[in-house]
Amino acid sequence: MFKIAVLVSGGGTNLQSVIDNVKSGKLDCTIEAVIGDRKCYGVTRAVKAGVQGYIFDRKILKKDLCRAIDKVVSERGVDLIVLAGFLSIIDEEFVNKWKKKIINIHPSLLPKYGGPGMYGIKVHEAVIANKEKESGCTVHYVDTGVDSGEIIKQVKVPVFKDDTAEILQKRVLVQEHRLLPESIEKIIKESKGVC
Ligand code: GRF
């Protein structure tokens, strides 16, 4: 069975969509661990769903955060590490060890509105400020840059004239909840040689 781990820092609505898709049988994998880099509702969601949750406080662990994560995902034999609203930077050693086995979801149409400082509501504020007509979300492999890895899947959403950043954020988030499970499904199928 394909095994995944999910890394979170916040509310974990994307994690929830993965949990729901695993429970319904749409995603043919197990969630071996959910790891938070701080106390957050995402880890609570995991525990409520009967998934093993860990909190590795980034402020305490500092440079050892990735080593702690690596220990868990290695011991659990994880095939794919999913960053779902994970705010700590993953170090180069970890990325190189887990090449093509780490994916991230980002709330814009990368390569637009990605990179350092582009996270959360800031992404949507920038989209609105530039009067873009469309935005969306992207799932991509993680490389040693920020939001720069190979794109796996994207979904577009319209931006309307009266949108606020918060309204746009909600519209994008609805699509994220579809896109992340679909991207994981694509990777699972590829691992089985079914495309
Ligand atoms: C999402 O917008 C995701 O694209 C970004 O962080 C947010 C996490 O939201 N990387 P949630 O914690 O899954 O609700």
Side-chain angles (χ1 to χ4, degrees), residues 29 39 43-44 86 98 114 131 137 153 156 187 189 195:
C29 65
K39 231 174 150 181
V43 177
T44 307
F86 188 68
W98 294 90
K131 298 190 178 2
C137 44
K153 265 178 178 276
K156 289 180 182 170
I187 293 167
K189 282 190 174 154
C195 291

Side-chain angles (χ1 to χ4, degrees), residues 8 30 42-43 56 75 94 100 111 126 132 172 174 176 186 190:
V8 293
T30 58
V43 177
F56 292 149
E75 280 174 4
F94 188 92
K100 272 272 185 129
E132 298 282 0
V172 171
V174 170
E176 290 185 42
K186 183 173 184 239
E190 281 170 3

Side-chain angles (χ1 to χ4, degrees), residues 8-16 42 45 83-87 104-108 118-121 124 137-138 147 169 172-173 176-177 180:
V8 293
S9 301
T13 64
N14 278 290
L15 163 67
Q16 191 65 55
R45 284 180 195 273
L83 310 189
F86 188 68
L87 293 176
N104 179 48
I105 181 149
H106 185 80
S108 78
M118 274 293 163
Y119 60 88
I121 198 74
H124 307 290
C137 44
T138 304
D147 302 325
Q169 183 177 43
V172 171
L173 195 58
E176 290 185 42
H177 297 161
L180 186 56

Side-chain angles (χ1 to χ4, degrees), residues 12-27 31 45 49 51 177 181:
T13 64
N14 278 290
L15 163 67
Q16 191 65 55
S17 75
V18 175
I19 291 173
D20 294 346
N21 277 273
V22 170
K23 289 220 156 139
S24 75
K26 273 191 212 151
L27 266 182
I31 306 174
R45 284 180 195 273
V51 174
H177 297 161

Side-chain angles (χ1 to χ4, degrees), residues 55-68:
I55 295 168
F56 292 149
D57 193 318
R58 68 194 175 117
K59 287 191 181 146
I60 297 169
L61 287 170
K62 299 191 174 96
K63 282 192 166 25
D64 290 329
L65 175 66
C66 287
R67 217 165 298 165

